[in-house]
Amino acid sequence: QPADSNLPTNRTAPTQSVKRYITAGMAVFFASILIFAPASLVTRLVPPTTQLALLEPRGSIWNGTGSVVASGQQLGQLIWQVDVLSLFTLAPRVQWKLAQPLLEIQVTTIGINEVTFAVNGNADLALLAPLLHQYDLFIPGSVTLIDITGVFDVPEETVNELAGTVNWSGGQVRYVLSGQLSESTLPEMNADLSDPLQATV
């Protein structure tokens, strides 16, 4: 009989070690999937019922770009950046920027079901010229969004706690009234937003 036949055998140590390696490997695998997840996954977040579309997405879901189209009209280049650390608080913080020669809007969103947002930007009203032309209306100048904030309730699809200022640079407005072309020069205007939604000019 061998001298060490009565010694206990330790089979649990190698098994636990293998489990640790498997767990660590799976963690690295899923972390790699999340880190390198392509930007094309963002298109799945857009509800199919909307008229919005994100074309040619590039980068990752955390830091990417793409072209935004609304109702068939090109709106501009969208750039987004996710604060990864904010995911651990279950209130993801995302920086958005939509830009083109006539438009630049910057948006910060925080949250999932109740999304707090802050918007600043500027839009040349030449963007609306094709739409306004249908109504024989011409409005010049630009609109500036100044510290527009609020809370968007995603399940209810409502905006609450709206605040901020919308500025129009003013100018010579032309329109057709009773078949005659009319003109009116209007001054610069500010609309102060409030909740419930109203604008005081």
Side-chain angles (χ1 to χ4, degrees):
Q1 182 176 8
D4 60 349
S5 60
N6 293 327
L7 294 176
T9 57
N10 187 2
R11 296 171 181 254
T12 59
T15 302
Q16 292 176 350
S17 179
V18 169
K19 287 182 179 179
R20 282 197 296 269
Y21 281 122
I22 292 175
T23 302
M26 294 295 289
V28 171
F29 173 73
F30 286 113
S32 299
I33 291 177
L34 289 175
I35 291 173
F36 298 106
S40 58
L41 291 178
V42 176
T43 60
R44 300 178 182 274
L45 300 179
V46 180
T49 56
T50 67
Q51 299 297 318
L52 286 174
L54 181 66
L55 305 179
E56 300 177 354
R58 296 179 296 276
S60 70
I61 61 173
W62 314 111
N63 194 345
T65 63
S67 298
V68 176
V69 175
S71 300
Q73 182 178 357
Q74 182 82 20
L75 290 186
Q77 190 75 7
L78 180 67
I79 304 171
W80 69 86
Q81 186 172 12
V82 180
D83 181 355
V84 178
L85 293 180
S86 67
L87 298 177
F88 295 100
T89 65
L90 300 181
R93 186 175 190 270
V94 187
Q95 298 276 358
W96 309 84
K97 181 179 179 181
L98 182 65
Q100 58 143 294
L102 299 177
L103 174 71
E104 182 171 322
I105 296 178
Q106 297 180 353
V107 182
T108 300
T109 59
I110 302 175
I112 299 176
N113 287 326
E114 284 193 346
V115 180
T116 301
F117 61 85
V119 184
N120 285 278
N122 183 272
D124 191 318
L125 288 178
L127 278 172
L128 299 179
L131 174 64
L132 297 177
H133 181 71
Q134 300 176 32
Y135 303 96
D136 298 319
L137 182 63
F138 172 77
I139 301 178
S142 61
V143 170
T144 303
L145 308 177
I146 306 170
D147 297 331
I148 306 294
T149 60
V151 178
F152 179 63
D153 190 319
V154 176
E156 297 294 329
E157 297 184 352
T158 57
V159 175
N160 305 308
E161 303 177 25
L162 189 65
T165 301
V166 180
N167 170 271
W168 174 53
S169 59
Q172 191 175 43
V173 177
R174 297 198 304 270
Y175 53 94
V176 175
L177 186 63
S178 300
Q180 294 185 347
L181 178 64
S182 301
E183 296 183 355
S184 179
T185 301
L186 298 179
E188 177 181 354
M189 296 184 183
N190 287 321
D192 297 319
L193 305 180
S194 62
D195 184 34
L197 177 59
Q198 59 181 342
T200 303
V201 177

